Amino acid sequence: KQEVTQIPAALSVPEGENLVLNCSFTDSAIYNLQWFRQDPGKGLTSLLLIQSSQREQTSGRLNASLDKSSGRSTLYIAASQPGDSATYLCAVSVGDMRFGAGTRLTVKP
Amino acid sequence: DAGITQSPRHKVTETGTPVTLRCHQTENHRYMYWYRQDPGHGLRLIHYSYGVKDTDKGEVSDGYSVSRSKTEDFLLTLESATSSQTSVYFCAISAPGLAGRYEQYFGPGTRLTVT
């Protein structure tokens, strides 16, 4: 059974820092991996999708990497801003999608 | 939000009562999904649909049923609600993203409390 883990569960950083969020999964047989952002009381917003054949995807200040062989993905956020404060979830597609529990990020002004 | 609405947005109900949650999409996407989100568990798939009257079970389907009689609507029913079904329920659709690859897009969620 595919298990997805995100560590740490919560992270607090000062504004302007570069930071990395981690996602690990137990089975490398995935179709793709997707990173989402969730604001309190809201639904999920897709940030980046990496196909299984890709190594990374970039969108603005966000860069996501994928290493299938080690079962890991990272989400790099450059020059963090208070508006980046949210919960970030990763999910792997194995036919259906399996989600991690998320990392709650707080960026302090 | 990819044209996805959920109703109701909040509901409080008593144990043993039936509850139906509705997901509505405006863009005729084939695949639709129901998830529940609980602290410490992330999102877990309850049921999904790949077309009108075509549905299948997900990871946590016990106690739930679904129906899809029209492309745009996907209903989730709790036949007899229990306190363990207190959760936030999200509907999602699968649609092409900016790069043309299929991604999941989520509705705003329904917060259900079973007392």
Side-chain angles (χ1 to χ4, degrees):
Chain A
K1 178 186 173 184
Q2 179 74 266
E3 301 284 347
V4 182
T5 303
Q6 292 186 248
I7 295 174
L11 180 65
S12 181
V13 300
E15 181 177 5
E17 269 204 9
N18 303 323
L19 60 99
V20 174
L21 306 180
N22 296 296
C23 173
S24 62
F25 48 96
T26 54
D27 188 343
S28 63
I30 65 171
Y31 295 121
N32 58 56
L33 183 144
Q34 200 166 352
W35 281 95
F36 295 88
R37 169 184 173 138
Q38 185 177 30
D39 293 291
K42 305 290 186 182
L44 280 67
T45 300
S46 179
L47 297 174
L48 290 164
L49 181 144
I50 311 176
Q51 296 291 344
S52 62
S53 58
Q54 296 178 309
R55 297 283 292 184
E56 66 178 350
Q57 280 288 325
T58 298
S59 176
R61 294 183 295 110
L62 306 179
N63 176 277
S65 69
L66 174 63
D67 183 344
K68 276 201 328 176
S69 61
S70 66
R72 294 182 181 180
S73 176
T74 62
L75 179 66
Y76 174 83
I77 302 177
S80 59
Q81 304 169 359
D84 294 329
S85 296
T87 296
Y88 291 80
L89 297 99
C90 70
V92 296
S93 175
V94 292
D96 57 349
M97 292 195 76
R98 299 297 171 98
F99 286 78
T103 294
R104 188 174 70 253
L105 173 67
T106 303
V107 181
K108 298 179 180 178
Chain B
D1 63 1
I4 305 168
T5 57
Q6 293 184 233
S7 59
R9 294 293 315 280
H10 301 272
K11 186 170 182 67
V12 179
T13 192
E14 293 185 348
T15 298
T17 61
V19 177
T20 295
L21 308 183
R22 179 180 183 244
C23 177
H24 179 78
Q25 58 145 329
T26 59
E27 299 178 3
N28 293 321
H29 294 293
R30 181 180 173 193
Y31 281 84
M32 299 183 75
Y33 308 83
W34 276 108
Y35 292 90
R36 61 179 288 175
Q37 185 177 32
D38 304 290
H41 286 279
L43 275 77
R44 291 179 291 175
L45 181 66
I46 305 171
H47 281 280
Y48 67 98
S49 171
Y50 46 96
V52 172
K53 298 186 180 179
D54 292 323
T55 65
D56 207 347
K57 296 178 180 180
E59 183 184 2
V60 291
S61 60
D62 288 348
Y64 301 94
S65 63
V66 291
S67 66
R68 192 164 178 204
S69 58
K70 299 185 292 183
T71 300
E72 58 266 36
D73 289 325
F74 192 30
L75 304 180
L76 177 70
T77 297
L78 291 65
E79 301 290 348
S80 178
T82 67
S83 58
S84 65
Q85 293 176 311
T86 292
S87 188
V88 181
Y89 290 86
F90 287 99
C91 175
I93 57 99
S94 182
L98 290 175
R101 301 185 185 95
Y102 275 79
E103 302 179 16
Q104 291 204 4
Y105 296 88
F106 286 79
T110 294
R111 183 173 295 276
L112 176 67
T113 302
V114 183
T115 62

